[in-house]
Amino acid sequence: MPRTGRRPGNQDTREAILGAAREAFAERGYDGASIRLIAGAAGVDPALVHHYFGTKDQLFLDAVQAPIDPGKIIPQALAGDRADVGERLVRTVLSVWDSAAGGAAAGMLRSAVGNDLIAKMLRELIMQRIFRRIAKVLDLDPVEAPIRLGLVASQIGGLIMIRYILRVEPMASLPPEAIVTLIGPTIQGYLDGPLPALPKARPGKP
Amino acid sequence: MPRTGRRPGNQDTREAILGAAREAFAERGYDGASIRLIAGAAGVDPALVHHYFGTKDQLFLDAVQAPIDPGKIIPQALAGDRADVGERLVRTVLSVWDSAAGGAAAGMLRSAVGNDLIAKMLRELIMQRIFRRIAKVLDLDPVEAPIRLGLVASQIGGLIMIRYILRVEPMASLPPEAIVTLIGPTIQGYLDGPLPALPKARPGKP
């Protein structure tokens, strides 16, 4: 159970660990950054990292300042009829962005666009916490999954950009269920529809 | 023909006009901001605005620091077989972002995400220079056009975000023609496919 009482220096230690964690996750990715490595970079004992942050998962979410853990809401969003999974995914995204967490999520996206370190961390969050989880829950073909999820991310990310950041009408003001009806089928197709044969990349492409 | 010789003060005048133009376009939109109004806000004669920037169109593009004029490339991109227009639009977007203009365009997007004034201008650019032009060239139904173009913007904007800003794999490294094959049909459907009936918005919605 972590201490909640404040002692002088606690906050600095926490911040030092978070700073080291951000660099490590951005440089090495989620899998490559161990608690031991992060502790070493912050100049503290690994036990102290566990003491402050619990698991590596939680440290990652705190480091990236994620307002919610997408890994927790995705399984709920995906549960149910496979034929409607696209609509449910869009509905879940909108409910998060329309909730109190939306402002923090927008802040994270703004930071990521302007700051390469945060962009790398957001990329890790998307790939590790979101893509992996969706691929597992939906049992996607491992060869196809990265492309399917990249397509999903491009449509959902653009929806967020247009509706919540740039606020382009009518996408900014349409009620959530209208957006679900419009974009759900696209997501459904990206997840479960046929993938086109891709043109061959030229060998020796730079 | 504008002077190209530098005189002391010219640069300041240009900057004052650009600053006034940014505020006016952001506050009043493209249509509501007249050259006369912008000149007044900058404390110069309208003839001087024309002298420095030519048309209102050009002043707008300079104010928003657009690296290219999307109004010029869109008609070329859309010309040709209507059945492939989605693929051609994606191909054009990729060719711009992969060109020298791509870095400047990324800079504009980064600024827009962090700065509300620039976000408003980028929104004007999207709606006035891109949406209007596409709707006109493709002769879209005026009632459906805003939704169709909002959907296109959400997919294209997200593609740019994922491929060029966050660089999520495999979308960041796939060759352009693979992206065209994957995303072209979505754009085609948004432009020319059937639109679903939208759920009615509740009356009195805030």
Side-chain angles (χ1 to χ4, degrees):
Chain A
M1 174 93 183
R3 290 171 169 273
T4 51
R6 295 287 295 274
R7 287 181 312 183
N10 272 7
Q11 201 54 33
D12 290 352
T13 307
R14 252 187 80 93
E15 282 307 314
I17 295 169
L18 283 173
R22 286 187 188 110
E23 285 204 22
F25 286 129
E27 289 303 312
R28 294 164 177 261
Y30 180 84
D31 290 331
S34 66
I35 293 271
R36 179 163 299 275
L37 180 103
I38 292 165
V44 302
D45 192 89
L48 200 63
V49 178
H50 286 294
H51 170 76
Y52 279 125
F53 295 98
T55 62
K56 177 172 159 183
D57 246 30
Q58 192 53 51
L59 172 61
F60 177 71
L61 291 169
D62 285 347
V64 77
Q65 296 183 291
I68 51 152
D69 179 358
K72 284 206 180 120
I73 56 169
I74 285 170
Q76 295 168 19
L78 300 182
D81 187 354
R82 179 72 174 233
D84 297 332
V85 75
E87 293 201 350
R88 284 202 304 285
L89 201 57
V90 176
R91 192 174 290 120
T92 301
V93 168
L94 296 177
S95 74
V96 169
W97 280 80
D98 288 330
S99 77
M108 190 170 83
L109 186 59
R110 287 199 164 89
S111 308
V113 167
N115 177 315
D116 200 45
L117 186 70
I118 300 176
K120 282 184 183 166
M121 297 207 57
L122 182 57
R123 188 164 62 224
E124 276 298 297
L125 180 76
I126 292 169
M127 299 185 71
Q128 304 299 332
R129 307 287 310 174
I130 304 184
F131 281 16
R132 253 193 212 179
R133 205 61 62 106
I134 296 178
K136 192 178 161 203
V137 174
L138 296 185
D139 195 24
L140 297 179
D141 176 286
V143 173
E144 293 180 349
I147 288 181
R148 292 189 182 278
L149 295 170
L151 291 169
V152 169
S154 74
Q155 176 59 84
I156 299 276
L159 171 63
I160 289 169
M161 194 74 182
I162 293 292
R163 180 172 167 91
Y164 296 104
I165 310 283
L166 295 181
R167 301 196 56 74
V168 175
E169 295 296 353
M171 301 304 282
S173 302
L174 279 175
E177 277 308 303
I179 301 285
V180 166
T181 304
L182 289 165
I183 293 198
T186 303
I187 303 300
Q188 188 75 32
Y190 284 160
L191 287 172
D192 275 348
L195 278 186
L198 296 186
K200 292 253 184 280
R202 282 163 299 178
K205 170 180 165 287
Chain B
M1 177 84 182
R3 290 171 168 275
T4 49
R6 295 287 295 275
R7 287 180 310 182
N10 272 7
Q11 203 54 33
D12 290 350
T13 306
R14 254 186 78 93
E15 283 305 315
I17 294 168
L18 283 174
R22 284 185 191 114
E23 286 205 20
F25 286 129
E27 288 301 313
R28 295 164 177 263
Y30 181 84
D31 290 331
S34 66
I35 293 272
R36 180 163 298 276
L37 180 103
I38 292 165
V44 303
D45 192 89
L48 199 65
V49 178
H50 287 294
H51 170 76
Y52 279 125
F53 296 98
T55 62
K56 178 172 157 183
D57 247 30
Q58 192 53 51
L59 173 59
F60 177 72
L61 291 169
D62 285 346
V64 78
Q65 296 183 291
I68 53 150
D69 179 358
K72 284 205 179 121
I73 56 169
I74 285 169
Q76 295 168 20
L78 299 182
D81 188 352
R82 179 71 174 234
D84 297 332
V85 75
E87 293 200 350
R88 285 203 302 287
L89 202 57
V90 176
R91 193 176 288 118
T92 302
V93 168
L94 295 177
S95 74
V96 169
W97 280 81
D98 288 330
S99 78
M108 190 170 81
L109 187 59
R110 287 199 165 89
S111 307
V113 168
N115 178 316
D116 199 46
L117 187 70
I118 300 175
K120 283 183 181 169
M121 297 208 56
L122 182 57
R123 188 164 61 223
E124 276 298 296
L125 181 77
I126 292 170
M127 297 185 74
Q128 303 300 331
R129 306 289 309 175
I130 304 183
F131 281 16
R132 257 194 210 176
R133 204 62 62 108
I134 296 177
K136 193 179 161 201
V137 174
L138 296 186
D139 195 22
L140 296 180
D141 176 287
V143 173
E144 292 180 349
I147 287 180
R148 292 189 182 281
L149 295 169
L151 291 169
V152 169
S154 74
Q155 176 60 84
I156 299 275
L159 170 63
I160 289 168
M161 194 73 184
I162 293 292
R163 181 172 166 91
Y164 297 104
I165 310 282
L166 295 182
R167 303 194 57 73
V168 175
E169 294 297 353
M171 302 303 283
S173 301
L174 279 174
E177 278 307 304
I179 301 283
V180 167
T181 303
L182 288 166
I183 292 197
T186 303
I187 303 299
Q188 188 74 32
Y190 285 159
L191 287 172
D192 276 347
L195 278 187
L198 297 186
K200 291 254 183 278
R202 283 164 299 175
K205 168 178 166 291

